[in-house]
């Protein structure tokens, strides 16, 4: 599975960004998708995820501000990030989990896209 993330950039606090990730090499509708964030000195952490059935999960810090969505017909997962703060800054990674083969779970990562929030 190949994942191509895009949409990072430099914004001011309070502004919005939308990240996109296009997947290839698998049946997208089978994949569980997620966005992770890593900031300097910190471990990579889950920001939001959406299962292949459409169930979503969010980190407490982004609830009410971020929305994850998927378009299976476009092999795409997006992360709409609103009211950004300096704590949202970091490298965002797209993740895909594939458990379509019984008894297996394969994890895939895209290249990161950098989000910088200036105050």
């Amino acid at each position: 599975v190949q994942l191509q993330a895009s949409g990072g950039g430099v914004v001011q606090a309070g502004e919005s960004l939308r990240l996109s990730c296009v997947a290839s090499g698998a049946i997208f509708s089978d994949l569980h998708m997620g966005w992770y964030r890593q900031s300097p000195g910190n471990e990579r952490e889950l920001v939001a995820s959406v299962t292949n059935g459409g169930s979503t999960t969010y980190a407490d810090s982004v609830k009410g501000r971020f929305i994850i969505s998927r378009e299976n017909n476009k092999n795409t997962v997006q992360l709409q990030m609103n009211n950004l703060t300096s704590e949202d800054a970091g490298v965002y990674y797209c993740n895909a989990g594939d458990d379509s083969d019984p008894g297996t779970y394969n994890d895939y990562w895209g290249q990161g896209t950098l989000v910088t929030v200036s105050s």
Side-chain angles (χ1 to χ4, degrees), residues 32-86:
H32 308 291
M33 302 300 297
W35 287 97
Y36 287 71
R37 172 175 68 206
Q38 188 165 22
S39 55
N42 295 316
E43 295 185 354
R44 193 174 296 186
E45 61 177 350
L46 176 68
V47 175
S49 65
V50 56
T51 68
N52 56 10
S55 297
T56 57
T57 301
Y58 295 94
D60 287 343
S61 62
V62 307
K63 284 179 180 177
R65 299 187 297 122
F66 289 15
I67 300 172
I68 189 170
S69 60
R70 63 188 298 157
E71 295 184 75
N72 287 342
N73 61 343
K74 296 181 179 180
N75 291 1
T76 299
V77 62
Q78 296 185 328
L79 183 68
Q80 177 66 41
M81 305 187 294
N82 300 319
N83 193 20
L84 285 160
T85 74
S86 58

